Amino acid sequence: MSWLSRLLTPREGPEEPGLREVIANLGATPVEAAQVRAEVTVAGVIAETSPGDAASGLHVRLTDDTGTMGLVFLGRQEVPGIEEGRWIAATGRVAESGGQRVIFNPRYELLTGGTRMRKQGEGRRLEGAPVDGNQPPTDGEETAPALPTPSGAFAQLAAEDFDVMASMGGVRGLLESVIPGLVFVVVFIATRELVPALIAASAVAVVALAARLLVRQSPAMAFGGFVGVMIGVIWAWRSGDAGDFFVWGLYVNAAYAIGVLISILARWPIVGVLVALLRNTWDSWRSSPAYPRYVAATWIWVGLFALRLAVQLPLYLTGQVGWLGTARLVMGVPLFALVLWVTWLLVREPAGREAPEGTPRP
């Protein structure tokens, strides 16, 4: 008999009930029967916990005697009571991530009982491998595709406590965002030569990307910054104008401002969309009492992008490269984090409060 089977077997005599009996009393859904997009309560034992970085959150592997379910607490690296060997009941909408079934930011309850298990590995991510060879249901039933779940800085919108460093991508994310532009401005002002500044900025971007790859971390953020730097380098090199190093950012902010504004006019404010995806409230968020706050928060993001353009575009047109670079740095990650914090203040509330009310907006 496996350790999991022994753990799930009810105990005899006056001792506390076994986990299988507790699960039965809860009326929880067996993990193997939990379908993607379904709102379920699953219960089992925490087989593994794996803290991610500041943005990706805490990953937990829950098992019962039928299979394995991932639980992801976005924006958090630890959750009180969540530790290996504890019994837990978790409620939320099942999604699919990386080919595995997961529940993001579940409502949870720690169950009475549970014993410590020997830790079988450290620092491992969720693999989601079924226990004892059990597989997710393959009875031919069609399930709707899982909705994508925002990650990175925007995962903070579903966090109980706002983490400033996580909103900036952690220390490494902050450095990767700031240093290439800073190096370009410093070298250009010091030398008044375009080529050395372009080489220096390119070198920093390459080193940042290589560092991510060497330590086998997700290169997504560094790669995005690398592409932006390379576009700026190519445009500035071809035109011979140092200001063109920053012009890509102007286009990006203009596109964001237009896109976010359209989301408001279409009555699908982007902040509401992100929160709904994070909290698994896609079916009810547009009829939620929080909808006006989603709209207000989205207007703040329109203001952010418009303010960047209002300040930086005149500096670009008048060729004030030093001031333009300084404005890019000040109005970049620090201002982004500030607006994200204000957004979090506007939309924060437990996921369980999102309930349908009235008719969804057209």
Side-chain angles (χ1 to χ4, degrees):
M1 182 182 292
S2 69
W3 64 265
L4 183 59
S5 298
R6 290 195 298 270
L7 180 62
L8 293 173
T9 301
R11 298 171 181 171
E12 300 294 336
E15 297 185 37
E16 60 186 6
L19 180 56
R20 181 173 293 162
E21 182 177 338
V22 173
I23 293 174
N25 292 337
L26 286 172
T29 301
V31 167
E32 70 171 357
Q35 300 287 337
V36 173
R37 298 289 308 275
E39 181 86 13
V40 301
T41 294
V42 294
V45 62
I46 298 175
E48 182 180 15
T49 63
S50 179
D53 56 31
S56 64
L58 176 68
H59 293 241
V60 176
R61 185 157 59 91
L62 176 150
T63 64
D64 63 8
D65 59 348
T66 68
T68 298
M69 177 72 70
L71 309 177
V72 181
F73 296 86
L74 293 167
R76 306 179 69 179
Q77 292 184 289
E78 60 179 353
V79 177
I82 300 297
E83 54 189 16
E84 294 180 10
R86 293 296 299 268
W87 299 356
I88 184 175
T91 301
R93 192 175 301 276
V94 181
E96 188 169 3
S97 178
Q100 311 298 335
R101 291 172 301 158
V102 299
I103 298 176
F104 289 95
N105 295 321
R107 302 182 294 281
Y108 72 95
E109 178 183 0
L110 296 174
L111 305 177
T112 301
T115 57
R116 274 285 188 176
M117 294 184 300
R118 180 178 298 173
K119 193 169 185 178
Q120 299 180 11
E122 295 187 13
R124 291 182 295 167
R125 288 273 184 186
L126 281 183
E127 295 296 337
V131 176
D132 294 336
N134 290 298
Q135 299 292 332
T138 56
D139 55 6
E141 293 185 9
E142 293 187 3
T143 57
L147 295 171
T149 302
S151 59
F154 287 105
Q156 288 295 302
L157 296 180
E160 292 184 7
D161 300 303
F162 189 83
D163 188 329
V164 175
M165 289 310 300
S167 71
M168 296 187 289
V171 174
R172 173 169 285 180
L174 176 62
L175 295 177
E176 291 169 348
S177 300
V178 170
I179 289 183
L182 177 62
V183 168
F184 176 84
V185 171
V186 170
V187 174
F188 180 76
I189 291 177
T191 65
R192 287 295 168 182
E193 294 288 338
L194 178 59
V195 173
L198 295 178
I199 293 175
S202 301
V204 170
V206 170
V207 169
L209 181 60
R212 287 273 187 178
L213 296 175
L214 285 174
V215 296
R216 296 184 179 180
Q217 290 186 350
S218 171
M221 188 169 184
F223 186 75
F226 174 80
V227 171
V229 170
M230 290 300 103
I231 291 175
V233 167
I234 293 171
W235 282 4
W237 175 70
R238 294 187 63 182
S239 68
D241 183 352
D244 284 345
F245 179 79
F246 300 105
V247 75
W248 172 246
L250 299 177
Y251 282 115
V252 169
N253 279 282
Y256 282 161
I258 293 171
V260 174
L261 180 59
I262 289 174
S263 78
I264 296 174
L265 298 178
R267 299 186 179 182
W268 284 78
I270 190 64
V271 169
V273 171
L274 293 173
V275 172
L277 292 173
L278 285 165
R279 293 179 179 166
N280 294 317
T281 56
W282 187 255
D283 296 331
S284 63
W285 73 272
R286 296 181 71 230
S287 58
S288 164
Y291 181 85
R293 290 187 279 126
Y294 299 151
V295 174
T298 305
W299 274 113
I300 294 176
W301 286 94
V302 174
L304 166 67
F305 301 127
L307 180 61
R308 285 175 174 175
L309 290 172
V311 173
Q312 297 172 24
L313 185 57
L315 295 174
Y316 168 71
L317 295 175
T318 55
Q320 300 183 58
V321 176
W323 286 111
L324 175 58
T326 301
R328 280 289 303 275
L329 294 174
V330 173
M331 304 180 77
V333 175
L335 187 57
F336 175 90
L338 175 61
V339 171
L340 188 63
W341 174 68
V342 173
T343 302
W344 175 79
L345 290 176
L346 283 172
V347 306
R348 62 174 176 171
E349 63 181 50
R353 293 184 186 176
E354 291 282 331
E357 226 178 77
T359 304
R361 293 165 177 78

